[in-house]
Amino acid sequence: MWFIIMAVVMALLALSVLSLIKKVRKFSKKINFLLGAAIVGVTFLIFSLCWTVINAIVVMIHLFLFWALFDGIGLLIEKCTKKKAKIYWEGIVTIVVTTIYFSVAWYLAHNVWITEYDVSTSKDIGVERFKVVGFGDAHMGAIFDYDKLEEYVERINELEPDVVLIVGDFIDDSTTRENMEKSCDALAKLKTTQGVYFSYGNHDAGYNSAERRGYSVEDFERKLTENGVTILVDEVQKAVGNIYLVGRNDTRVVTRQKASVLSSMVPDGAFSLVLDHEPNDYDNEENAKMDLVLSGHTHGGQFFPITKVGEWIGANDKTYGYEKRTDTNFVVTSGIADWELKFKTGCKSEIFVVNIVKE
């Protein structure tokens, strides 16, 4: 799938660059092909230095798409009015709109909202109300570092959670050892009545070697444990009353336990609260009669209007938000941060709250 995505992105980038060179030349007859290419190239370089190459690619593709849109509008207006504009307003509008668009996208990615859900159950959960607060996809170092995480920890504490759940991708392949360790230290400041729990995402174990990363999975797990975080890897643990936490391993692990097996480990009549980083096993989790499944991974779809692509190609069962299938509740968070991409337009960064109450 990633090969196909990258092939499409590279093809779009090539088309974007060639098109932008042509469009830049419309500003003045003095701009020849080489000068136009230099302008586009320098612009790409500046974006790459300000952010990263992948973010520069995203901006350039959007610039191309917006420019094509406004050129089309300009052509339509010219045909209707039979008049040609004295200035190349389409290019000016494109640059202004793209700037505003990515300014908003930056804001949505770099600020965090609280998103709250209420889930009712007919089961006797043993308490009147159980407040779950959590987040996913911090990808520490991509959007913010440990010092900013400490601020978010304070916001979480203000919500007075019964339990805090981290649904994967707390760290990233590029997270430095210092950032990893101090981020884990920040989690020790979380205040809950029933603890802090973590389940693996695809980036936590990492795609790079321990040597290249600067630390091993064992180092990461040790820091989590030292700071009071319970790691759940295909196992079940009682939270409080009649509520049990089920931590599923990430789907990239071949030996991942089946939903039905994990569900059988939950006592009859108990409420099962599942941490499953990737939202792509809904049928099995529904058939296993799990009560609430919390996921991340999708980043809320990232960019409008391609937010639902993961669902269209069958990679995800849901992109964002709440859904109920039979008696199983599903929630997918957009994440508290992001992977390499520093912009969000199809969603916003968030901390989620789920209030579990008896009907």
Side-chain angles (χ1 to χ4, degrees):
M1 183 183 72
W2 277 108
F3 176 79
I4 296 174
I5 292 174
M6 290 306 298
V8 171
V9 169
M10 289 300 102
L12 271 174
L13 177 62
L15 178 62
S16 299
V17 169
L18 292 173
S19 177
L20 290 173
I21 292 173
K22 181 179 179 181
K23 292 181 185 301
V24 165
R25 297 178 65 190
K26 291 185 178 181
F27 279 110
S28 172
K29 294 180 179 180
K30 296 180 180 180
I31 301 176
N32 57 28
F33 180 84
L34 289 178
L35 181 56
I39 292 171
V40 173
V42 169
T43 301
F44 183 82
L45 179 61
I46 292 172
F47 289 156
S48 298
L49 293 174
C50 289
W51 305 306
T52 61
V53 171
I54 191 169
N55 284 281
I57 291 173
V58 169
V59 173
M60 296 299 279
I61 290 175
H62 275 79
L63 186 61
F64 156 66
L65 294 173
F66 279 128
W67 216 317
L69 171 64
F70 287 112
D71 266 356
I73 293 173
L75 183 60
L76 183 62
I77 292 174
E78 186 178 323
K79 285 187 175 181
C80 291
T81 61
K82 308 295 184 182
K83 294 181 180 180
K84 189 174 181 64
K86 295 181 179 179
I87 62 171
Y88 185 39
W89 66 266
E90 295 93 329
I92 297 172
V93 170
T94 296
I95 294 171
V96 171
V97 169
T98 304
T99 301
I100 295 173
Y101 180 85
F102 276 100
S103 296
V104 173
W106 178 274
Y107 183 80
L108 292 175
H110 288 73
N111 291 271
V112 173
W113 284 259
I114 306 296
T115 303
E116 193 162 355
Y117 304 93
D118 292 321
V119 171
S120 60
T121 177
S122 59
K123 292 183 176 180
D124 181 9
I125 57 177
V127 292
E128 290 186 7
R129 180 190 184 96
F130 191 68
K131 189 172 189 177
V132 178
V133 180
F135 61 88
D137 302 286
H139 294 277
M140 293 307 305
I143 295 290
F144 59 80
D145 295 317
Y146 58 87
D147 50 349
K148 191 67 176 180
L149 178 63
E150 290 180 345
E151 294 181 22
Y152 294 143
V153 165
E154 292 179 6
R155 288 184 65 182
I156 291 174
N157 289 339
E158 291 172 358
L159 296 170
E160 300 181 343
D162 289 311
V163 69
V164 170
L165 304 180
I166 304 170
V167 292
D169 281 0
F170 179 62
I171 58 175
D172 201 276
D173 295 89
S174 59
T175 305
T176 64
R177 185 183 188 103
E178 179 187 21
N179 209 351
M180 179 275 288
E181 292 182 341
K182 291 187 176 181
S183 296
C184 289
D185 291 341
L187 298 178
K189 299 177 182 179
L190 286 166
K191 299 176 182 178
T192 74
T193 61
Q194 304 302 325
V196 181
Y197 294 83
F198 163 84
S199 65
Y200 271 98
N202 52 305
H203 285 279
D204 291 303
Y207 294 90
N208 295 329
S209 65
E211 291 75 18
R212 183 176 178 183
R213 205 179 198 187
Y215 53 91
S216 65
V217 175
E218 290 73 23
D219 292 330
F220 172 49
E221 290 185 345
R222 183 167 55 253
K223 285 300 296 184
L224 285 175
T225 304
E226 286 176 359
N227 287 284
V229 179
T230 301
I231 304 169
L232 294 178
V233 182
D234 281 342
E235 56 190 305
V236 176
Q237 184 165 322
K238 182 176 180 178
V240 65
N242 208 24
I243 298 175
Y244 284 75
L245 299 174
V246 181
R248 302 199 68 185
N249 210 343
D250 188 66
T251 56
R252 66 178 288 208
V253 180
V254 178
T255 56
R256 171 168 133 122
Q257 193 59 268
K258 293 181 179 179
S260 57
V261 174
L262 291 171
S263 182
S264 68
M265 297 165 64
V266 178
D268 291 341
F271 186 95
S272 56
L273 175 51
V274 184
L275 292 76
D276 188 5
H277 178 66
E278 299 187 34
N280 55 20
D281 199 27
Y282 278 18
D283 287 343
N284 290 324
E285 288 165 338
E286 178 188 2
N287 292 334
K289 298 182 179 179
M290 291 174 160
D291 294 294
L292 172 61
V293 181
L294 302 174
S295 303
H297 185 65
T298 65
H299 297 183
Q302 197 78 43
F303 287 110
F304 176 84
I306 61 171
T307 50
K308 296 285 187 178
V309 169
E311 293 179 49
W312 298 338
I313 64 177
N316 304 312
D317 291 318
K318 190 170 184 64
T319 302
Y320 177 74
Y322 172 81
E323 180 179 343
K324 186 171 184 178
R325 298 186 181 186
T326 314
D327 293 322
T328 304
N329 301 274
F330 296 94
V331 172
V332 181
T333 177
S334 60
I336 196 171
D338 239 335
W339 173 66
E340 290 290 332
L341 302 174
K342 299 184 182 296
F343 306 95
K344 287 183 177 181
T345 59
C347 59
K348 58 188 178 184
S349 297
E350 66 179 14
I351 293 167
F352 66 82
V353 178
V354 181
N355 300 299
I356 304 172
V357 295
K358 192 177 185 311
E359 291 180 347

